[in-house]
Amino acid sequence: AKFILAPEFAYGDAGSPPKIPEKATLIFEIELLDFVSKDDLFGDGGLVKVLQKEGSGWKVPKNKSEQRISLKICKADGCILEDKGSFDFLMGSEALG
């Protein structure tokens, strides 16, 4: 991708001497080398979190609070590997690994 920044969005009338002259338009060429989804839980593409239904109440559950969750593990093709249904989970516990 190429980003072109007009002087008013970069260093303005003053520039940044000695390397960037006054009123300079800056051009950056950027290459994306890698990308990891924020929902890729381990950064390896092996476990990706998918939200099925938005909950209500606390946006971030407090540690040691009990939450009612459901857990289903599926392969990319939709084949179910494990379905634990709904159960109570204590936030911060290592019950799920």
Side-chain angles (χ1 to χ4, degrees), residues 69-86:
I69 66 171
S70 59
L71 177 67
K72 184 189 291 185
I73 302 170
C74 302
K75 291 172 49 175
D77 65 6
C79 178
I80 298 172
L81 297 174
E82 186 171 354
D83 189 347
K84 291 188 176 277
S86 293

Side-chain angles (χ1 to χ4, degrees), residues 9-91:
F9 298 110
Y11 289 94
D13 291 339
S16 184
K19 293 189 177 190
I20 300 173
E22 61 186 39
K23 299 180 184 176
T25 296
L26 302 181
I27 301 172
F28 296 94
E29 289 190 29
I30 308 224
E31 177 182 1
L32 180 62
L33 299 176
D34 195 12
F35 172 78
V36 175
S37 168
K38 69 176 184 159
D39 295 329
D40 182 350
L41 299 181
F42 297 106
D44 62 2
L47 182 60
V48 179
K49 179 179 73 173
V50 177
L51 179 64
Q52 296 294 319
K53 179 181 175 187
E54 184 73 38
S56 61
W58 292 95
K59 291 291 181 188
V60 178
K62 295 179 181 177
N63 199 25
K64 304 292 184 195
S65 66
E66 192 172 87
Q67 307 298 315
R68 186 86 170 144
I69 66 171
S70 59
L71 177 67
K72 184 189 291 185
I73 302 170
C74 302
K75 291 172 49 175
D77 65 6
C79 178
I80 298 172
L81 297 174
E82 186 171 354
D83 189 347
K84 291 188 176 277
S86 293
F87 59 96
D88 293 329
F89 177 73
L90 185 64
M91 294 302 295

